């Protein structure tokens, strides 16, 4: 016989029971993870002291309680004292047999949207890269001929005419380089999974950036020292972080620079669920946050697609590569951007615990 306690504990969505005074009576483990506190400590506290909802709730909730009817609020920002707001669907319904009590179900929409994207980005990338690989050989050969011809012509030109042949050589080399990046994206091997210290990866990326493309930036470390090891490919994850730092550095003013914050934390309520019902936890969170101008509004929803770029002369492959690598790691990546704050968040699986870890 399945017990009510087993069903309550197994609900994947955060669920909270409140009384007539809107104080917390109980919550399931998913809600404890969402608020990042235990039900024992939170009982008796006002729900609105623990949750921030970007919608007028008082009158609607009172009407639902008085009429004994459910209330649905879609696409609302819900946050806590310990986390940035997430776009969620909120469902509130009377608790049968308990006058005045209501149950709140919180369904983060961001996860579902990004899971769908992580599943489709591979097919989109495969089509784009397949076409590019088919043309790469045919394009590279004539480009080599054009470059050689331009260099031969330059030998017999006057100094004032060399600018034209130099332009031909420069542009053909740029196209060859772009094709090389496309081929690299398409030929990326499967990750060699092993336990990875994410702070080592972040530190390598930070030091490399400050010596090169990010020399004009200030990079702040905000790490959770107790973060467990991730399961992944250290070199590929380094490439992901480097791409995100490079994007933030290029978005900043080259003269005044900007600030990049590298943040890690543990969130045990995050999990990846597929259409077949299978899934796994993604508790390890890495955020790359910058104070730049933000993503252009017209590409916000497509930044992880191949060949979408908000920069002039950008290839549009950097974030597509990030999404592909994280998808190959069975993780997910999300972005929240507005002028002054752009936050990329990577969620990854934890490395399996060894016998030694349990002692």
């Amino acid at each position: 016989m399945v017990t009510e306690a087993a069903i309550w504990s197994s609900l994947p969505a955060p669920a909270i029971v409140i009384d007539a005074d809107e104080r917390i009576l109980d919550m399931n483990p998913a809600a404890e993870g969402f608020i990042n506190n235990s039900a024992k400590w939170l009982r008796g506290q006002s729900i609105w002291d623990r949750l921030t909802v970007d919608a007028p709730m008082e009158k609607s909730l009172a009407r639902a309680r008085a009429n004994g009817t459910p209330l649905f609020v879609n696409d609302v920002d819900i946050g806590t004292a310990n986390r940035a707001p997430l776009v969620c669907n909120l469902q509130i319904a009377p608790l049968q047999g308990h006058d005045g009590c209501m149950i709140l179900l919180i369904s983060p929409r961001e996860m579902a949207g990004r899971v769908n994207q992580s599943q489709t980005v591979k097919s989109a990338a495969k089509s784009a890269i397949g076409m590019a690989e088919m043309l790469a050989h045919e394009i590279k050969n004539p480009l080599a001929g054009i470059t050689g011809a331009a260099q031969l012509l330059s030998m017999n030109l006057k100094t004032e005419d060399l600018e034209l042949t130099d332009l031909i050589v420069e542009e053909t080399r740029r196209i060859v380089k772009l094709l090389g990046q496309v081929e690299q994206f398409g030929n990326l091997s499967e990750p060699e999974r092993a336990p990875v210290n994410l702070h080592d990866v972040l530190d390598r990326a930070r030091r490399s950036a400050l010596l090169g493309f990010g020399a004009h930036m200030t990079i702040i470390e905000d790490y959770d020292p107790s973060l467990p090891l991730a399961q992944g490919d250290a070199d590929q994850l380094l490439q992901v972080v480097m791409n995100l730092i490079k994007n933030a550095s290029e978005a900043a003013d080259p003269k005044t620079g900007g600030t990049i914050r590298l943040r890690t934390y543990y969130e045990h309520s995050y999990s990846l669920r597929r259409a077949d019902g299978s899934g796994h936890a993604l508790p390890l969170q890495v955020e790359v946050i910058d104070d730049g101008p933000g993503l252009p509004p017209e590409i916000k929803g497509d930044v992880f697609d191949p060949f979408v770029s908000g920069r002039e002369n950008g290839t549009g492959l950097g974030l597509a590569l990030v999404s592909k690598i994280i998808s190959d790691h069975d993780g997910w990546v999300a972005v929240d951007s507005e002028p002054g704050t752009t936050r990329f968040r990577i969620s990854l699986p934890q490395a399996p615990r060894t016998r030694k870890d349990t002692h």
Side-chain angles (χ1 to χ4, degrees), residues 163-182:
E163 182 180 352
L164 296 175
T165 54
D166 289 345
L167 178 62
I168 294 172
V169 172
E170 180 182 344
E171 288 302 299
T172 52
R173 286 176 176 170
R174 186 177 68 84
I175 296 171
V176 170
K177 182 180 178 182
L178 173 59
L179 290 173
Q181 290 176 320
V182 171

Side-chain angles (χ1 to χ4, degrees), residues 282-303:
L282 300 175
L284 307 186
Q285 314 302 317
V286 176
E287 292 185 340
V288 179
I289 309 163
D290 70 75
D291 57 358
L295 294 170
E298 63 272 14
I299 67 166
K300 272 188 179 181
D302 305 311
V303 293

Side-chain angles (χ1 to χ4, degrees), residues 3 31 55 118 137 182 192 221 254 280 315:
T3 65
S118 69
H137 180 72
V182 171
E192 297 182 7
E221 297 166 300
H280 56 270
T315 64

Side-chain angles (χ1 to χ4, degrees), residues 193-204:
R193 301 171 191 266
V196 177
N197 185 324
L198 291 175
H199 295 155
D200 288 346
V201 171
L202 291 169
D203 190 55
R204 287 170 59 193

Side-chain angles (χ1 to χ4, degrees), residues 69 73 107 120 130 149 157 185 194 206 268 276 291 314 318 344 350:
T69 56
V73 184
S107 303
T120 59
L157 291 177
F185 180 53
R206 179 187 61 83
H268 63 76
D276 61 3
D291 57 358
F344 284 90
Q350 181 177 338

